[in-house]
């Protein structure tokens, strides 16, 4: 499994952004996929909620509060992922959500922090492509593109192959290799690696909200 | 054409022979008539018997005479020629109405055609025997009768020898691990794991490879009861394709006298798939074609090609 996420965070980065909405860009992408011969295979959804370390547990050691992200992925419907930035990734059963309610004293949910991406799954040969619209609250913020090449378990092995596939429907707007690829050279790719990439993408999109639009790369 | 002329000379004898046959037939039927009528119309029993026997004798004599006559004539007629290439069917050429029934010319053509066919089939069989796809040494003979009854010696190698060969190959390639098991008697089954790229199930019969299935590194190769699953194919198109190519390789690498060399060559070829996802096609320079990476590996150079890019 070797997914990777396109930085679809900024619509202005997309090739067709001039005067087009997120929705139109998504449609354009999916149309290109269908022309390539990809087949629709249902929908997908990835969501993420942010938790702060509660104020009561901080202070004495002088630590800064860490952020924890609790995520779900429709691809793994029975699992729940809990991640720290640059930290470990915990894969638990879905009733981990209930546990988080009980841990209110230690972790508090950040207000209006829920961010999610929804869209259509496409299958093309052994490739699984998921094009989703990233929404935060009511507004669409960007586009996520996940490409998974099932046969290959070592991400760095098939990066050139993935890149060539991406060029087929993203044109010149292909991204650089995700950081996960470089970190562990021949490690077997797992679901947690996908979730880390989604977390990084979501964080990027959140930050864009605070920066004036003109300032984006 | 000499036969035709000689037949013409004997036409007289033919006519006589035919009438002799007719005479013979009528005398034979007279014998049966006489037997059928039996003894009658005589006053005394003795007279009846005498008359019947005399009559019967006369009839038999005439049969004998006619038969002798026929035999004499048949010598005159002479035998139908046997040195004609088409034997009796050569006589068809005597048919005077060529236009209506062109049987003879059709027959000649058919004969030529079948001669040619036989010649070409002979050539083809000679060539095919050189490139035989059969992987054991003893099937080169043309006739099934000549095939020895005993199994080829390469099929009755001791399991210990097979183990040795496999473990030597295992040590030869560090990125390849081979696990040998014998779940069903003496035939070995190998589970070959190539790096983190793919797994191959190899079913052996002695040192012959009977079947291979290629699956992904993360795919399950066992059935529910923990045995190697030698029947189901991979879920991924790329490994289904590689399975096809591996089966082709089994037929390509063959050397009936040295089965261990065959296994080693096959494994060397298989090892080139370690770069399945990293090597671009040597012909078109691309990674993907119809969504598949270059799945073909040249048997000699081990270079990567797309299935449609190889020669």
């Amino acid at each position: 499994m070797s997914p990777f996420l396109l930085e679809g965070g900024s619509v202005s980065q997309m090739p067709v952004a001039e005067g087009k909405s997120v929705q139109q860009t998504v449609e354009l992408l999916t149309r290109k996929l269908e022309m390539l011969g990809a087949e629709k295979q249902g929908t997908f959804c990835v969501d993420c909620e942010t938790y702060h370390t509660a104020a009561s547990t901080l202070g004495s050691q002088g630590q800064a509060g860490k952020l924890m992200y609790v995520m779900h992925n429709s691809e793994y419907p029975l699992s729940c992922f809990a991640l720290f930035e640059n930290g470990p990734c915990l894969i638990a059963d879905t009733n981990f959500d209930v546990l988080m309610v009980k841990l209110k004293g230690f972790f508090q949910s950040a207000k209006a922090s829920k961010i999610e991406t929804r869209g259509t799954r496409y299958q093309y040969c052994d490739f699984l492509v998921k094009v989703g619209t990233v929404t935060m609250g009511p507004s669409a913020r960007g586009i996520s593109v996940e490409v998974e090449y099932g046969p290959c378990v070592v991400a760095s092995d098939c990066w050139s192959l993935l890149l060539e596939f991406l060029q087929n429907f993203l044109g010149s707007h292909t991204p650089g290799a995700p950081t996960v690829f470089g970190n562990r050279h021949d490690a077997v790719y797992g679901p947690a690696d996908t979730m880390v990439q989604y977390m990084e993408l979501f964080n990027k999109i959140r930050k864009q909200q605070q920066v004036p639009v003109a300032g984006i790369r | 054409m000499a036969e035709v002329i000689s037949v013409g000379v004997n036409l007289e004898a033919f006519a006589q022979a035919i009438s002799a046959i007719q005479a013979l037939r009528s005398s034979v039927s007279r014998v049966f008539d006489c037997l059928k009528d039996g003894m009658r119309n005589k006053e005394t029993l003795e007279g009846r018997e005498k008359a019947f026997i005399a009559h019967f004798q006369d009839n038999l004599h005439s049969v004998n005479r006619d038969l002798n006559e026929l035999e004499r004539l048949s010598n005159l007629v002479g035998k139908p020629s046997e040195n004609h290439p088409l034997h009796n069917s050569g006589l068809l050429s005597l048919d005077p109405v060529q236009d209506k029934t062109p049987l003879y010319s059709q027959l000649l053509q058919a004969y030529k055609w079948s001669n040619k066919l036989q010649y070409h089939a002979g050539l083809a069989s000679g060539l095919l025997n050189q490139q035989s796809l059969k992987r054991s040494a003893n099937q080169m003979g043309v006739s099934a009768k000549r095939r020895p009854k005993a199994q080829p010696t390469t099929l009755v190698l001791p399991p210990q020898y097979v183990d040795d060969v496999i473990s030597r190959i295992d040590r030869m390639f560090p990125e390849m691990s081979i696990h040998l098991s014998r779940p069903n008697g003496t035939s070995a089954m190998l589970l070959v794991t190539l790096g983190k790229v793919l797994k191959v199930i190899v079913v052996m019969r002695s040192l012959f490879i009977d079947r291979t299935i290629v699956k992904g590194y993360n795919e399950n190769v066992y059935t529910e009861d923990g045995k190697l699953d030698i029947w189901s194919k991979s879920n991924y198109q790329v490994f289904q394709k590689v399975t096809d190519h591996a089966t082709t390789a089994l037929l390509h690498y063959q050397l009936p006298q040295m089965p261990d060399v065959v296994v080693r060559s096959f494994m060397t070829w298989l090892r080139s798939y370690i770069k399945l996802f990293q090597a671009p096609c040597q012909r078109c320079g691309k990674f993907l074609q119809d969504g598949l990476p270059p799945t073909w590996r040249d048997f000699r150079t081990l270079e990567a090609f797309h299935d449609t890019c190889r020669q």
Side-chain angles (χ1 to χ4, degrees), chain A residues 83-136:
Chain A
L83 302 91
F84 288 103
E85 230 167 332
N86 307 319
C89 171
L90 174 79
I91 304 177
D93 286 355
T94 29
N95 43 13
F96 183 77
D97 294 325
V98 187
L99 190 69
M100 285 309 288
V101 177
K102 299 227 166 168
L103 290 176
K104 240 184 220 165
F106 302 94
F107 294 104
Q108 283 171 345
S109 163
K111 272 189 189 116
S113 69
K114 180 146 178 164
I115 184 164
E116 64 173 17
T117 176
R118 281 175 185 277
T120 322
R121 286 169 96 232
Y122 283 92
Q123 175 103 39
Y124 173 67
C125 272
D126 296 327
F127 290 95
L128 193 59
V129 186
K130 297 176 204 167
V131 180
T133 313
V134 183
T135 49
M136 209 172 144

Side-chain angles (χ1 to χ4, degrees), chain B residues 107-120:
Chain B
L107 188 73
L108 280 185
Q109 264 178 351
Y111 183 72
K112 267 189 212 160
W113 190 84
S114 94
N115 249 0
K116 247 187 226 172
L117 180 72
Q118 196 175 11
Y119 174 69
H120 286 287

Side-chain angles (χ1 to χ4, degrees), chain A residues 60-182:
Chain A
S60 53
Q61 290 101 339
Q63 286 178 312
K66 255 189 167 179
L67 293 179
M68 187 173 83
Y69 303 95
V70 176
M71 305 177 72
H72 303 91
N73 187 341
S74 58
E75 205 69 20
Y76 311 101
L78 296 182
S79 301
C80 175
F81 302 83
L83 302 91
F84 288 103
E85 230 167 332
N86 307 319
C89 171
L90 174 79
I91 304 177
D93 286 355
T94 29
N95 43 13
F96 183 77
D97 294 325
V98 187
L99 190 69
M100 285 309 288
V101 177
K102 299 227 166 168
L103 290 176
K104 240 184 220 165
F106 302 94
F107 294 104
Q108 283 171 345
S109 163
K111 272 189 189 116
S113 69
K114 180 146 178 164
I115 184 164
E116 64 173 17
T117 176
R118 281 175 185 277
T120 322
R121 286 169 96 232
Y122 283 92
Q123 175 103 39
Y124 173 67
C125 272
D126 296 327
F127 290 95
L128 193 59
V129 186
K130 297 176 204 167
V131 180
T133 313
V134 183
T135 49
M136 209 172 144
S139 56
R141 302 275 175 160
I143 299 163
S144 75
V145 177
E146 178 188 339
V147 178
E148 184 179 313
Y149 188 60
C152 186
V153 292
V154 180
S156 51
D157 278 4
C158 63
W159 172 242
S160 340
L161 188 147
L162 273 182
L163 204 61
E164 195 181 294
F165 174 70
L166 285 166
Q167 278 160 359
N168 282 343
F169 74 101
L170 293 179
S172 56
H173 289 258
T174 45
T179 47
V180 221
F181 284 40

Side-chain angles (χ1 to χ4, degrees), chain A residues 1 124-127 149-154 156-158 160-161 164-165 168 186-188, chain B residues 196-197 216-218 235-239 274 276-278 285-288 290-293:
Chain A
M1 259 173 255
Y124 173 67
C125 272
D126 296 327
F127 290 95
Y149 188 60
C152 186
V153 292
V154 180
S156 51
D157 278 4
C158 63
S160 340
L161 188 147
E164 195 181 294
F165 174 70
N168 282 343
D186 59 345
V188 173
Chain B
K196 282 178 181 166
V197 179
Y217 181 78
N218 54 353
N235 291 326
Y236 297 115
Q237 289 184 22
V238 52
F239 292 121
I274 190 97
L276 177 60
F277 304 114
Q278 296 172 57
K286 288 191 168 182
F287 282 96
L288 291 173
D290 300 326
L292 290 173

